[in-house]
Amino acid sequence: MSKDKKNQVSRRQFLNYTLTGVGGFMAAGMLAPMVRFAIDPVLQPDEGGEFVSAKISEEDITTEPKRVAFNVEQVDAWYESTVEKVAWVYKQEDGSIIALDPTCTHLGCFVGWNDNENYPEHFYCPCHDGLYTKDGVNVPNTPPTAPLAVYEHKIENGILYLGKAIPREEA
Amino acid sequence: MKWKRQDMQQYLKSKEYIDTAIVPLLPFSMEGNDEDLLSLTYQHEVMDVFTERLEKEYKGRIFRFPTYSYLATSKIEDEVERLNGYYEQLKTQPFQFVFYLTFDAKWKKHEKNLEGQLLWLPILKDGDIHQEETKKVILDQNEQITDLIRAYWSET
């Protein structure tokens, strides 16, 4: 019988509510860090390999592929070393820059641009006559089965920086 | 390809494409005067850089084998014989071209008794491999050797 509005919440109910509330907070306080640790790798920004200066300024890049060499610190399971990497860099028709990894997707020789008179305006692999068009896509019926990988790149202070080479699937 | 398990795995799968073997030839000695010893180690370093580069750019067709070491004092006729034994081994695989790379002029005289192609490179007796000048020389020689190897390739 509730004649009085003051008695709408009984003492027992009040205690139940407060204890659940406080207990809930405590449980959440304990769980939150655990959950964070569990999904921590997801929250880390993807470093995507460090970017290294290709020592070429943006203005020097033309629509003609140019060979640039740059050094990358590489850590293997057993030793650390400085490795020279090579990229073919040029501006695409829309003005954006592209940096191709010269490693032939067949067996890993370095391809050259426009250096075989039989295949002008192509990337040519001297080992087994692999061919790629200017955008690095492999020409059918030549040994390679995938396009040349593309380096991640960015421009900082007008200088080109290159990152990891990202393989591409067959077009 | 290098003399490594991972590369060998790839080689075994694509033997028919890797038809060129490169074997560096380097003399070994510890008894000479200081100058000789410096020169030997310097030549070893240059050879390393040299073949490393060659292998890197033509990985899919060139197999770089471990260095063939011999005593600087041993009779070259004996070494020719031993090296021909190496050649027999290589020829059990589908290698079409076998190149020996050396800075040691002794081999040159016995070239005709040697199976495979001898590529003899003259080199400075001593130097600093990290110097810009030396680098330039090495790169230039490297280019000439690759041109030569490619010329052999295009004949077939």
Side-chain angles (χ1 to χ4, degrees):
Chain A
M1 295 204 280
S2 53
K3 321 156 206 167
D4 203 337
K5 276 183 187 167
K6 276 181 199 161
N7 284 340
Q8 270 177 343
V9 177
S10 72
R11 182 193 297 266
R12 182 184 295 266
Q13 271 176 322
F14 171 76
L15 282 172
N16 266 343
Y17 290 153
T18 33
L19 280 178
T20 325
V22 171
F25 269 119
M26 283 168 71
M30 277 164 66
L31 281 174
M34 290 200 226
V35 171
R36 223 207 98 97
F37 283 136
I39 62 163
D40 190 52
V42 183
L43 299 176
Q44 292 293 325
D46 181 16
E47 284 175 29
E50 272 138 53
F51 281 85
V52 185
S53 164
K55 291 176 222 121
I56 182 172
S57 69
E58 194 184 1
E59 301 129 45
D60 290 342
I61 300 170
T62 60
T63 53
E64 184 69 11
K66 194 172 180 179
R67 188 188 156 113
V68 296
F70 58 105
N71 292 319
V72 178
E73 297 291 329
Q74 190 173 289
V75 185
D76 271 334
W78 294 97
Y79 37 83
E80 224 173 289
S81 51
T82 310
V83 182
E84 189 192 80
K85 297 248 179 191
V86 174
W88 284 104
V89 179
Y90 65 93
K91 274 191 183 128
Q92 288 167 300
E93 270 169 27
D94 61 357
S96 64
I97 288 168
I98 184 167
L100 295 171
D101 180 350
T103 311
C104 182
T105 55
H106 175 222
L107 284 169
C109 297
F110 278 10
V111 301
W113 167 253
N114 211 6
D115 62 352
N116 187 298
E117 53 196 18
N118 297 326
Y119 309 106
E121 300 286 303
H122 276 80
F123 288 104
Y124 171 74
C125 178
C127 287
H128 307 103
D129 300 330
L131 268 189
Y132 304 84
T133 49
K134 191 177 176 183
D135 54 0
V137 174
N138 51 307
V139 173
N141 301 321
T142 67
T145 52
L148 296 174
V150 177
Y151 285 107
E152 293 177 315
H153 74 274
K154 64 181 180 190
I155 300 285
E156 231 165 63
N157 300 325
I159 303 286
L160 177 71
Y161 284 78
L162 297 174
K164 265 196 306 201
I166 311 289
R168 290 188 285 178
E169 293 294 312
E170 191 173 2
Chain B
M1 301 291 150
K2 286 184 208 143
W3 192 243
K4 283 185 171 180
R5 187 175 183 280
Q6 202 185 350
D7 283 6
M8 187 55 95
Q9 255 174 344
Q10 210 184 347
Y11 170 74
L12 294 173
K13 272 185 266 165
S14 19
K15 275 184 193 180
E16 69 276 23
Y17 288 109
I18 297 139
D19 63 355
T20 305
I22 286 192
V23 185
L25 314 177
L26 280 175
F28 173 78
S29 154
M30 268 314 265
E31 63 171 13
N33 57 32
D34 295 3
E35 236 169 72
D36 289 345
L37 296 185
L38 287 172
S39 168
L40 280 175
T41 44
Y42 171 67
Q43 291 186 10
H44 172 245
E45 261 185 285
V46 174
M47 185 59 91
D48 243 16
V49 174
F50 206 90
T51 48
E52 183 81 14
R53 240 190 126 76
L54 211 59
E55 189 274 337
K56 191 173 156 198
E57 290 195 25
Y58 297 94
K59 186 186 179 67
R61 190 152 179 190
I62 290 180
F63 201 129
R64 188 230 144 152
F65 285 95
T67 300
Y68 176 89
S69 289
Y70 53 97
L71 289 177
T73 51
S74 68
K75 258 175 72 189
I76 201 77
E77 288 87 351
D78 296 344
E79 296 301 338
V80 167
E81 210 171 297
R82 223 179 119 219
L83 192 55
N84 282 340
Y86 265 60
Y87 182 84
E88 296 304 317
Q89 286 296 311
L90 292 174
K91 274 302 198 180
T92 60
Q93 300 288 346
F95 284 112
Q96 283 205 42
F97 308 95
V98 176
F99 293 107
Y100 303 118
L101 222 57
T102 189
F103 301 129
D104 187 352
K106 271 200 288 183
W107 293 98
K108 193 72 192 149
K109 264 203 245 158
H110 298 268
E111 199 178 2
K112 56 183 183 307
N113 300 325
L114 215 50
E115 313 276 353
Q117 297 298 327
L118 183 77
L119 302 180
W120 170 68
L121 301 169
I123 184 199
L124 289 175
K125 275 216 127 109
D126 197 1
D128 179 1
I129 200 163
H130 304 290
Q131 243 174 27
E132 280 308 312
E133 279 302 306
T134 322
K135 266 190 199 167
K136 244 188 241 165
V137 174
I138 294 175
L139 284 182
D140 185 67
Q141 279 190 326
N142 209 78
E143 217 167 281
Q144 293 190 39
I145 288 293
T146 52
D147 284 351
L148 184 64
I149 292 175
R150 281 173 73 164
Y152 273 94
W153 286 348
S154 59
E155 269 172 28
T156 52

